[in-house]
Amino acid sequence: MSDNAGSRGADVVVLGAGMVGVSTAYALRQRGLSVVLVDRREPGSETSYGNAGILSSGSIFPLNTPALWRKLPTYLSNRHHALRWNPAWALRNADWVVRFLANATAAQTEPRAVALHGLIGASLKLHREWIVQAGAAQRIRETGWLKAWRSDNVAAAKAEQAALAAHGIKSELLDRQAISALEPNILPAYSVGLLHTETASVDAPGEVVKAYARMLDGDGGEIRQAEITAIEKDGEGWRVLLPNEDVRARHVVVALGPWSADLLRPLGYRVPLATERGYHQEFRPGARQLLRPINDAEGSFLMTPMEQGIRVTSGVELTDRDAPSSLAQIDAVVPLARGVVEFGEPVGEVWRGARPTLPDSLPMIGPAPRHPGLWLAFGNQHIGFTTGPATGEAIAAMIAGAPPPFDATAFAPSRYL
Ligand SMILES: Cc1cc2nc3c(=O)[nH]c(=O)nc-3n(C[C@H](O)[C@H](O)[C@H](O)COP(=O)(O)OP(=O)(O)OC[C@H]3O[C@@H](n4cnc5c(N)ncnc54)[C@H](O)[C@@H]3O)c2cc1C
């Protein structure tokens, strides 16, 4: 396989060292291929750093399900904590918005849930193996994830439980007393809870990516820190242009998260990739810590206990990836979080990131339709930290001509390209 290998070549060059790219590079090395992984930053420094750290078994229903239509009138006001949107962006991206909404039907939702369930299941299995192999097992907590309602909305919790159970995903319904027993250190803010029992979480997502990257390095994978300026066809293979050198490889994998569409445009691919931006702010721990992440269903924010304290993450902001930050959403939810758990002063600045999302909320995992040797692995929306390992494993399997560990048909890039 090493026909292009050499000091500046490899079987595969993987672009992007977030959870998806690092996982892909590691899975490729596991199959004995020579790999160069390139990122302008250290592994796990962008979206895969700033997320809520949840390894979610139950996130099989994306944002665009039939439930979105019910919520849409409240979102139109542009004041809801769950979703803010920039009207100018929506006009310029009307095509994406229409296609995103067109997927929010019952008929479109069921097959996507099945597809995501397969991807998530395979990924959680890999995370649980890799985190041990990477010497980072102390970072994973098998304490589940609590979704909690302030109002007495038992019906919503039961409906979610039934929808998850229909896919074999376990959860437990909790009343106020059961929530207090489970999370003795929070104030009695919630009436109803749904504990996703098969979900895990980590206390430092960026550190987990770095641990996987060290595992790759230890296994003979090469990691380079450089800006990638272009991807070009090079005979039977590919050339990746960096400021001071080129990297040649037989295969190239684009795993650039929210930046993935940029380098594909010159190759003639117009990828309908939007960025659902989100923010986090971290706070020093109070005297009494959270034991697991909490998803405040009506407040539309998450709180995760992290290595440094409590990380509060915001809902979705639909606007241009690089538009200036707007702190309205995170500023609105931090006081709500303080009403649930005691925490101290902020640690550092507010962080902003972007969830990369295609109109059907499914990632692209597979070959680029018109360029042999070009592979796409991005668009993992709200669950890329969870789904990185199986996304990578699927790409590695496809490159090796083997079946992926789940049915990847729904993720074929050709559905949009
Ligand atoms: C607020 C928030 C909360 C979230 N919570 C969760 C959660 O709890 N659980 C979960 O599973 N998911 C969560 N997500 C989603 C998850 O973080 C993303 O889906 C995932 O991190 C995407 O990983 P990635 O590897 O595709 O992208 P990234 O981690 O962004 O990696 C892409 C890499 O490409 C590099 N890059 C880009 N362009 C270039 C270039 N030209 N040259 C060199 N390098 C380049 C970047 O430096 C970056 O390192 C959350 C996201 C947000 C924003």
Side-chain angles (χ1 to χ4, degrees), residues 15-23 38-56 59 127 145 200-201 205 209 224-230 241-243 254-260 262-263 276-280 293 302 304 306 311-316 321 351-357 377-388 391:
L15 313 186
M19 181 52 90
V20 175
V22 169
S23 298
V38 190
D39 198 302
R40 60 187 164 214
R41 300 192 62 185
E42 278 183 32
S45 298
E46 292 280 1
T47 334
S48 299
Y49 153 77
N51 60 74
I54 296 163
L55 298 174
S56 175
S59 296
H127 265 303
W145 179 27
S201 63
V209 181
R224 290 202 202 168
Q225 199 171 338
E227 178 78 25
I228 303 153
T229 55
L241 276 56
L242 311 179
V254 177
L256 294 163
W259 295 272
S260 296
D262 302 9
L263 290 173
E276 297 184 56
R277 301 203 319 179
Y279 299 80
H280 88 224
L302 305 181
T304 306
M306 291 286 179
R311 179 176 289 187
V312 180
T313 46
S314 71
V316 168
R321 182 188 63 208
W351 172 88
R352 187 190 83 217
R355 308 166 181 97
T357 305
F378 57 80
N380 298 60
Q381 41 107 342
H382 294 232
I383 51 171
F385 187 69
T386 304
T387 56
T391 300

Side-chain angles (χ1 to χ4, degrees), residues 4 114 203 208:
N4 273 322
V114 169
D203 70 355
V208 172

